[in-house]
Amino acid sequence: MFDLKSLVRPNIWALKPYSSARDEYSGKEAHTFLDANESPYNNPYNRYPDPLQRELKQQIAVLKEIRPEQIFLGNGSDEAIDLVFRIFCTPGRDNVVSIEPSYGMYEVCADINNIECRKVLLNSRFDIESERLLEVCNERTKVIFLCTPNNPTGNTLNSGEIKNILDRFNGIVVIDEAYGEFSDQPLWRNEINRYPNLIVLNTLSKAWASAGIRLGMAFAQVDIIALFNKVKYPYNINILTQQKAKDILNRRLDIEDWIKQTKNERLSLMYAVNELDICEQVFPSEANFFLARFKNANSVYDYLVNQGIIVRNRSQVKLCDECLRITIGSPQENTALLSALRQFK
Ligand code: PMP
């Protein structure tokens, strides 16, 4: 049985959160704000932002077909990942399970919070086997982190295996869908009402082309989102980010176009890299990057750096021997990469 209270750190469950001036005021139209020790000058930046980002969440709610109370917004999805540890995991006592290889911040946040991170190697197809993940869990396992499409491998994880984990694990399951927009698979975001233990992460940093403004999202049932709101910094999303996020969310057609172009470029770049003599294998991808195995990844990487082209060297990562991770850029950037690779000796 899933029991949220038993999963939450007792001090967090009991926490009386900070109540900001703008939290306490709500209701009637007001015109004179003398409650928050703000300056009367330099409007609008003199004012604290909305602590719950209500307008922005309304817009996201419509777009993602999720109720505003089921949305947490953070300073990148990295903030949401860190909050998961601070809400659910007691330092020095609890543990989390994650897959390997995957996005590095799950383990870094575990280390920062002094939480053991039990890593389960993916199989040779870079996929999960749910039984192996469930096997390493014990009564102190609070969270399982999954990432689909996975970084750095680029593939989506088997949905039957994920379902098995959601059904059988009584702790929290975080599914990081940072690259979901580039995939043709059904999104886990649409399943949050079915699973009380599911948290899905999205971000504006990838398909929405806004890594610089730092806006990440967590979607879950209302009681979990209420815990995020309790623990987060009161004004964690600044006015400039809220404004820029609203602007980019209004450009949905541009975004769809950019996603389409990225997927087209992905197809042709992967094909062309696969044709190179120096390339051993290109792995399937449903993200805006792909993993490729080279005959000598380090020398290809160094050569590209000398040409002013930076890719990600993943050759030291488990299961990724001799692999580089290549982000899909603009057509010009991709051409520059290809012509450099074709001249590599
Ligand atoms: N999740 C995954 C899988 C990522 O690859 C990244 C960034 N590389 C993030 C989350 C971080 O996203 P954000 O910019 O929203 O913090």
Side-chain angles (χ1 to χ4, degrees):
M1 259 290 288
F2 177 76
D3 172 26
L4 186 61
K5 186 176 175 192
S6 72
L7 288 174
V8 175
R9 284 171 61 170
N11 63 309
I12 299 300
W13 191 265
L15 178 74
K16 190 173 176 302
Y18 174 72
S19 176
S20 67
R22 288 298 129 79
D23 274 330
E24 287 181 0
Y25 161 75
S26 72
K28 293 215 183 78
E29 281 290 304
H31 50 76
T32 304
F33 287 99
L34 303 175
D35 57 343
N37 302 342
E38 296 153 332
S39 167
Y41 312 110
N42 194 33
N43 204 325
Y45 306 108
N46 57 336
R47 298 296 174 197
Y48 283 105
D50 175 4
L52 287 174
Q53 308 100 20
R54 276 164 273 229
E55 276 181 35
L56 178 53
K57 280 184 187 165
Q58 195 57 50
Q59 211 173 327
I60 294 171
V62 172
L63 200 76
K64 307 250 179 186
E65 297 179 340
I66 282 177
R67 284 159 49 210
E69 318 84 78
Q70 297 182 309
I71 303 173
F72 161 78
L73 300 181
N75 184 342
S77 12
D78 289 342
E79 182 182 356
I81 294 167
D82 186 52
L83 281 176
V84 166
F85 286 95
R86 291 164 61 207
I87 292 167
F88 296 106
C89 301
T90 300
R93 202 193 89 120
D94 291 332
N95 66 69
V96 301
V97 170
S98 78
I99 55 175
E100 184 172 28
S102 194
Y103 180 46
M105 279 303 281
Y106 315 133
E107 189 177 17
V108 171
C109 283
D111 289 345
I112 290 169
N113 288 283
N114 190 22
I115 305 295
E116 180 194 354
C117 183
R118 301 180 170 193
K119 294 190 284 184
V120 177
L121 209 56
L122 296 172
N123 65 23
S124 57
R125 294 182 313 281
F126 294 142
D127 211 341
I128 52 168
E129 284 158 18
S130 54
E131 294 303 330
R132 286 178 49 224
L133 279 154
L134 293 167
E135 245 165 44
V136 303
C137 296
N138 67 2
E139 68 289 350
R140 299 210 158 150
T141 306
K142 294 295 187 66
V143 187
I144 297 179
F145 284 93
L146 302 173
C147 180
T148 182
N150 188 32
N151 175 8
T153 57
N155 59 305
T156 49
L157 302 177
N158 181 293
S159 61
E161 297 295 308
I162 295 182
K163 271 199 185 88
N164 193 34
I165 292 171
L166 282 163
D167 286 333
R168 295 196 20 224
F169 179 57
N170 283 327
I172 299 292
V173 180
V174 173
I175 302 183
D176 188 340
E177 272 187 337
Y179 301 97
E181 289 93 341
F182 300 105
S183 153
D184 297 325
Q185 301 296 315
L187 294 171
W188 288 98
R189 187 178 76 224
N190 299 327
E191 305 294 322
I192 55 168
N193 291 324
R194 192 167 297 169
Y195 298 104
N197 56 342
L198 173 60
I199 299 175
V200 173
L201 304 181
N202 278 195
T203 179
L204 291 194
S205 298
K206 312 295 174 185
W208 293 88
S210 301
I213 72 169
R214 313 302 302 130
L215 194 91
M217 307 162 216
F219 306 115
Q221 293 193 9
V222 172
D223 46 2
I224 291 181
I225 295 302
L227 291 163
F228 276 85
N229 288 337
K230 206 168 155 179
V231 177
K232 77 179 186 70
Y233 289 162
Y235 303 107
N236 62 327
I237 309 294
N238 68 67
I239 291 179
L240 300 171
T241 295
Q242 292 194 45
Q243 194 48 57
K244 287 289 172 195
K246 286 181 209 164
D247 293 346
I248 197 72
L249 290 167
N250 277 330
R251 295 178 59 187
R252 194 177 176 167
L253 294 180
D254 285 337
I255 304 300
E256 278 170 15
D257 198 34
W258 296 344
I259 292 170
K260 206 155 76 193
Q261 284 190 42
T262 300
K263 286 163 82 171
N264 287 341
E265 284 291 311
R266 178 177 75 194
L267 192 69
S268 47
L269 185 60
M270 285 171 71
Y271 181 82
V273 170
N274 196 40
E275 294 287 292
L276 299 170
D277 278 348
I278 55 169
C279 176
E280 299 248 287
Q281 190 175 3
V282 164
F283 294 96
S285 170
E286 300 216 44
N288 67 336
F289 60 84
F290 65 94
L291 199 63
R293 177 161 284 143
F294 289 84
K295 288 185 177 141
N296 188 340
N298 285 332
S299 52
V300 175
Y301 176 80
D302 291 340
Y303 161 81
L304 287 174
V305 170
N306 277 325
Q307 305 290 310
I309 298 172
I310 316 299
V311 297
R312 192 93 151 115
N313 189 348
R314 298 283 80 186
S315 56
Q316 299 308 313
V317 171
K318 279 200 183 146
L319 298 184
C320 299
D321 301 348
E322 303 291 352
C323 285
L324 302 179
R325 192 194 70 193
I326 299 171
T327 304
I328 311 300
S330 65
Q332 295 85 333
E333 290 171 320
N334 302 333
T335 304
L337 171 76
L338 264 182
S339 60
L341 285 174
R342 284 181 180 136
Q343 286 165 49
F344 176 81
K345 281 187 225 59

